Amino acid sequence: MPITEFLDGFKFDPEARRVMGVAYEMARAALKFDNRTYAADEIIAGRIIELAKTGVVDPDQLCEQALNDLRLRVDSMIVSTSAASRFKASAGR
């Protein structure tokens, strides 16, 4: 799926679209998922687009920052799930 699917009508020049597309494909390749989820693609694309809007034009930097954002979200979800499990376990005693 190309990153242009996530632009929501926002206009970028052709070079910016190319760089964002490269960064997006690099991030997807780095994840090495057999069955990628649309949510992960959406998070990565959204972050790349946000960064490009602020003037970041290096595909390596776009990729790395998007992956870092995804990692933070996943880590946050794991912590939340773990805390909820501990709460349920302690409430059942």
Side-chain angles (χ1 to χ4, degrees), residues 1-7 20-21 24-25 28 38 41 45 49:
M1 171 182 308
I3 196 167
T4 54
E5 301 291 322
F6 300 99
L7 291 178
M20 289 188 305
Y24 177 68
E25 291 305 323
R28 293 180 74 207
Y38 181 79
D41 286 343
I49 292 165

Side-chain angles (χ1 to χ4, degrees), residues 37-85:
T37 64
Y38 181 79
D41 286 343
E42 188 174 28
I43 290 168
I44 292 167
R47 186 66 178 134
I48 289 170
I49 292 165
E50 286 175 26
L51 291 165
K53 285 178 181 178
T54 66
V56 179
V57 294
D58 180 290
D60 293 324
Q61 191 176 10
L62 289 168
C63 173
E64 189 59 36
Q65 288 188 28
L67 289 173
N68 284 340
D69 188 57
L70 181 62
R71 284 183 201 108
L72 289 173
R73 289 180 187 217
V74 169
D75 288 348
S76 172
M77 289 171 44
I78 291 169
V79 168
S80 295
T81 302
S82 178
S85 295

Side-chain angles (χ1 to χ4, degrees), residues 3-38:
I3 196 167
T4 54
E5 301 291 322
F6 300 99
L7 291 178
D8 292 329
F10 194 85
K11 303 290 184 208
F12 287 96
D13 65 71
E15 179 60 11
R17 283 196 310 273
R18 186 192 69 76
V19 168
M20 289 188 305
V22 168
Y24 177 68
E25 291 305 323
M26 288 169 51
R28 293 180 74 207
L31 292 173
K32 298 180 185 174
F33 288 158
D34 287 335
N35 295 313
R36 291 178 185 87
T37 64
Y38 181 79

